[in-house]
Amino acid sequence: MRWHATMLAVVLAGGLVGWNVLGLTAPAWAGPPVEAVRKTIDEVIRILDDPAWKKPDRKEERRKLLERTISQRFNYPEMAKRSLGAEWGKHSAEEQNDFAANFQTLLSNTYIGRIEAYSGEKVQYLKELSDGEFAEVYTHVDTGKSMIDINYKLQKISDEWHVYDVVVEGTSLVLNYREQFKRILRKDSFAELSRQLRDKSAHIKAPVPDGSETAKGR
Amino acid sequence: MKDAKLELIVGVFVLVGIAALTYLAVKLGKLEVIGGGKNLEIHAEFDSVAGLKDGATVEIAGVQVGQVKKIWLNGDGERAVVSFSLTPGVKLYGDAIASIKTRGLIGDKYVSLSPGGSQKELPPGGKIRETESGIDFEKAISEFIHGNVK
């Protein structure tokens, strides 16, 4: 009898751990930064999994909804500012806003196609490091073939956590763009950089997937 | 009289020799005996500093601006803390990024800094919040050779 109780406890504990690892419930250590990231990721997955949104005539609408959901969590102006480094301060508020908008379009067009190709990958929340108004959330994405480490860097602005950098497999998105922008600005003007961002965004814009959405490009 | 003069010359020669040796030891050992106090001390936390050693160079745009002073584990014993000593005049800001890079594919590890440009300048003793541990080539190669579990 006692043996059975022990076994039951082990199975239950194992089940709970498995449940947590799959990211299905909030782990006990999860603080507000993890909850913020989880809320957005869960919402994105819910939209992607919803059969109502999979209808071909609603794909364009779904893409807009996804972009809106993501932009509520991602602080694009801060990402643009950090990516531009010292150059940011040299420009007027209008130029900064224009640049941030172009940068948002570029990021959105770069990643939205990959997000739409989602096919049940599991997100695991590993740990959270917080330091005052800054935090880093460590996650693993299990694609079925490989595990990808993705860390989200967040900043608390008026009681809400916003992502300002994403570190994929140890490489920072902000640093990647900062080095590219620096290289372009060494040769060309800021206006030219803005123009290049616009051109690139238009060029890479992924076509809205049609009804016969398959595993292509995954 | 002649002996005294000779002894003096030998004495001076020995002193000059010792001074030269001391200078060489300080230079080769990259110790900071003179002017070390004026350097700017900054630290940063990394997920992993595998391969980085004390005395490794710290660079901005490929120019050496300092060196790694000390590496230790943080309070939780999970992340590595690296302290750098930077030459005076180097300006870093709140959004500065420190990344660990490898010279070539199998070369030495060094720290590359991107100074950033937010309004807040990093004070002496400050901490670089944004860090990048870099891609683990060994892990990538090992996964490539031995294959993944899945």
Side-chain angles (χ1 to χ4, degrees):
Chain A
M1 189 62 201
R2 228 175 113 191
W3 184 80
H4 277 112
T6 316
M7 275 309 285
L8 187 69
V10 168
V11 168
L12 272 179
L16 280 177
V17 168
W19 198 245
N20 274 348
V21 164
L22 288 176
L24 299 172
T25 61
W29 48 264
V34 172
E35 284 312 318
V37 172
R38 177 198 298 277
K39 204 173 127 194
T40 302
I41 293 179
D42 284 355
E43 178 64 10
V44 166
I45 293 177
R46 195 190 59 76
I47 297 169
L48 291 166
D49 275 343
D50 190 345
W53 286 109
K54 284 187 176 163
K55 292 188 185 126
D57 57 330
R58 297 190 75 186
K59 296 279 180 186
E60 189 69 52
E61 208 184 328
R62 182 178 84 165
R63 176 171 284 188
K64 289 216 175 80
L65 179 64
L66 284 172
E67 283 175 348
R68 205 166 49 238
T69 310
I70 295 165
S71 69
Q72 278 164 2
R73 183 65 59 207
F74 280 67
N75 187 351
Y76 287 112
E78 181 66 22
M79 288 170 110
K81 179 182 164 191
R82 284 174 181 262
S83 299
L84 212 49
E87 186 73 19
W88 179 265
K90 296 179 192 163
H91 299 279
S92 68
E94 197 186 331
E95 283 174 312
Q96 289 175 348
N97 289 341
D98 186 47
F99 182 83
N102 286 335
F103 189 60
Q104 173 167 356
T105 317
L106 176 78
L107 288 183
S108 196
N109 288 356
T110 307
Y111 294 104
I112 199 77
R114 295 187 206 174
I115 292 169
E116 282 171 339
Y118 173 82
S119 59
E121 286 85 354
K122 294 274 181 293
V123 180
Q124 306 173 5
Y125 299 87
L126 302 178
K127 64 174 173 177
E128 166 195 312
L129 293 176
S130 48
D131 178 11
E133 57 179 8
F134 292 92
E136 187 166 359
V137 173
Y138 288 66
T139 70
H140 252 348
V141 176
D142 187 350
T143 64
K145 283 194 196 125
S146 57
M147 299 284 275
I148 305 167
D149 287 328
I150 302 181
N151 300 353
Y152 298 89
K153 298 205 162 214
L154 300 103
Q155 189 179 8
K156 195 175 179 182
I157 301 165
S158 50
D159 256 17
E160 192 63 55
W161 289 92
H162 294 280
V163 175
Y164 66 85
D165 193 6
V166 183
V167 182
V168 181
E169 287 288 339
T171 54
S172 145
L173 183 145
V174 165
L175 185 60
N176 168 46
Y177 282 105
R178 189 186 282 182
E179 297 198 333
Q180 291 186 50
F181 292 164
K182 205 166 72 184
R183 214 161 43 227
I184 294 170
L185 286 168
R186 216 166 25 226
K187 288 185 290 181
D188 294 312
S189 64
F190 180 74
E192 172 63 17
L193 173 65
S194 284
R195 195 191 61 75
Q196 283 192 20
L197 275 191
R198 260 194 308 274
D199 285 0
K200 180 78 183 168
S201 307
H203 183 65
I204 56 172
K205 191 167 194 279
V208 176
D210 55 20
S212 61
E213 182 183 10
T214 57
K216 247 187 271 173
R218 226 167 267 161
Chain B
M1 191 61 196
K2 204 180 166 189
D3 280 356
K5 202 178 168 190
L6 187 69
E7 276 169 17
L8 188 74
I9 290 171
V10 171
V12 167
F13 187 75
V14 168
L15 279 180
V16 169
I18 290 173
L21 277 176
T22 311
Y23 175 76
L24 211 66
V26 168
K27 270 282 164 197
L28 287 180
K30 293 184 179 167
L31 300 171
E32 283 163 1
V33 179
I34 311 149
K38 284 187 207 144
N39 284 356
L40 179 67
E41 286 263 349
I42 294 283
H43 66 279
E45 271 187 31
F46 294 87
D47 285 328
S48 164
V49 289
L52 191 74
K53 295 190 187 82
D54 288 1
T57 57
V58 178
E59 300 180 357
I60 294 178
V63 178
Q64 184 175 351
V65 293
Q67 64 184 83
V68 171
K69 291 286 281 184
K70 207 177 146 198
I71 303 172
W72 69 99
L73 277 176
N74 75 347
D76 304 337
E78 277 197 350
R79 300 185 95 205
V81 187
V82 178
S83 80
F84 319 111
S85 149
L86 304 177
T87 47
V90 173
K91 281 194 166 60
L92 295 176
Y93 298 88
D95 58 347
I97 303 177
S99 26
I100 295 178
K101 305 256 178 185
T102 313
R103 225 174 282 286
L105 257 184
I106 46 164
D108 287 342
K109 298 268 182 179
Y110 66 98
V111 178
S112 167
L113 298 179
S114 168
S118 67
Q119 291 86 354
K120 235 162 77 188
E121 203 176 312
L122 220 58
K127 177 182 163 191
I128 300 179
R129 196 178 299 279
E130 314 307 325
T131 59
E132 219 190 37
S133 302
I135 296 169
D136 188 346
F137 281 111
E138 287 87 347
K139 187 180 138 203
I141 291 170
S142 136
E143 274 185 16
F144 177 71
I145 294 173
H146 303 291
N148 289 321
V149 183
K150 306 219 167 157

